[in-house]
Amino acid sequence: MKRRDFLIAGAALGAAGLGALSGCGPTEGAPARAEGGTPGRHWGFVVDVEKFNRVADMDKIRSVCAQAYNIPSIDDPKEEIKWIWEEPFEDSFADMDEAYLPDAVKESGVPVLCNHCEEPPCVRVCPTQATFKRKDGIVEMDYHRCIGCRFCMAACPYGARSLNFSDPAKHLDHVNPDFPTRTRGVVEKCTLCSDRIDRGEAPLCAEASNGSILFGDLNDPDSDVRRALAQSFSIRRRASLGTGPSVYYVLKGVEEHA
């Protein structure tokens, strides 16, 4: 048996055993990792849906993200690796029971990504603490700890995690030496550009969005994101689940058509 297979089997058996004994999830009661980040901060995004559809170039956003973080380009939808991508509004907010939303809103596309939840279910179920929440709210991954069990993928209600079914290096035309490449059998996702944030820089998607994706500290009432939220009606994806998504979408189209 290969070492990775052994670790996966051991983690699954251990998680199942703990769950049976205590009725808890795989990491219930385990010490939480909170490495990195500034305490008191809560980084997040505000997406202006109407402006995004007017001025944003999703291909450009995905391209700068992929180049910086060595995201492989795989055409097979069963194996593609996604950090940020566009989905129809109706698919992204399928749980909204709003029969009479304006067509301009219903027909919009929205960028979707890891929501860096306040209560991330992926962190709770990870048997190796490969995924953890930083002190500033960013949900990070330690690729060396990941054993590819995919518990986090099953727990994430946003489909924001991808497994490398094959060697991702084979699907990279350019490698950024400043960010680690992953290996076969490892899960990955958006990091909210935590490395850039730690240097005092904004995430790349926000920079490339022509102002349609705002980034800032949700705990700071004077930040751009808080001011935007104070001025418009906003929603979050599947917030009713209690995950506390840190990505907000403002719907100015609702106000204009009301």
Side-chain angles (χ1 to χ4, degrees):
M1 178 181 288
K2 294 182 179 179
R3 180 176 179 272
R4 178 174 291 274
D5 295 334
F6 175 79
L7 289 171
I8 294 173
L13 287 173
L18 287 173
L21 289 172
S22 65
C24 300
T27 58
E28 188 76 18
R33 298 177 66 194
E35 301 173 5
T38 303
R41 299 283 194 182
H42 180 189
W43 300 117
F45 283 139
V46 172
V47 180
D48 184 328
V49 175
E50 188 271 335
K51 188 172 183 179
F52 177 83
N53 281 268
R54 277 195 297 108
V55 303
D57 183 344
M58 192 67 219
D59 288 339
K60 178 183 177 181
I61 292 172
R62 292 186 63 175
S63 178
V64 296
C65 178
Q67 291 177 20
Y69 296 106
N70 298 318
I71 303 172
S73 177
I74 303 175
D75 293 332
D76 186 347
K78 294 181 180 179
E79 297 190 11
E80 65 180 333
I81 306 297
K82 299 188 296 184
W83 281 35
I84 183 169
W85 67 102
E86 185 174 356
E87 284 191 358
F89 179 90
E90 285 189 297
D91 293 345
S92 301
F93 297 95
D95 56 329
M96 286 186 62
D97 186 21
E98 298 293 340
Y100 301 109
L101 276 176
D103 290 340
V105 174
K106 290 193 294 184
E107 296 171 2
S108 297
V110 294
V112 293
L113 63 156
C114 171
N115 281 270
H116 297 276
C117 302
E118 295 179 59
E119 299 293 337
C122 55
V123 171
R124 182 176 181 272
V125 302
C126 180
T128 64
Q129 295 187 22
T131 186
F132 59 97
K133 182 182 174 184
R134 299 192 343 166
K135 296 173 184 178
D136 55 9
I138 296 176
V139 177
E140 273 275 30
M141 282 203 64
D142 183 338
Y143 301 119
H144 296 292
R145 285 176 175 257
C146 179
I147 57 175
C149 65
R150 291 186 277 181
F151 289 176
C152 62
M153 293 178 67
C156 177
Y158 307 105
R161 290 171 172 266
S162 304
L163 175 70
N164 286 286
F165 285 94
S166 60
D167 181 2
K170 297 178 180 179
H171 304 279
L172 294 173
D173 295 328
H174 166 79
V175 175
N176 176 12
D178 296 327
F179 195 82
T181 55
R182 278 71 73 194
T183 59
R184 179 177 178 271
V186 168
V187 174
E188 61 180 89
K189 68 171 193 68
C190 159
T191 65
L192 206 70
C193 291
S194 58
D195 57 318
R196 291 176 57 86
I197 292 173
D198 291 343
R199 297 195 300 266
E201 302 171 350
L204 287 167
C205 58
E207 281 194 353
S209 71
N210 290 320
S212 62
I213 300 176
L214 299 178
F215 164 76
D217 183 2
L218 291 165
N219 285 341
D220 180 2
D222 295 322
S223 65
D224 290 342
V225 288
R226 283 289 299 275
R227 285 197 293 266
L229 291 173
Q231 295 170 2
S232 302
F233 175 74
S234 66
I235 57 176
R236 293 181 291 174
R237 297 183 66 204
R238 307 192 73 178
S240 61
L241 296 177
T243 55
S246 298
V247 180
Y248 290 76
Y249 298 81
V250 295
L251 300 177
K252 295 181 179 179
V254 172
E255 299 167 355
E256 294 170 359
H257 291 81

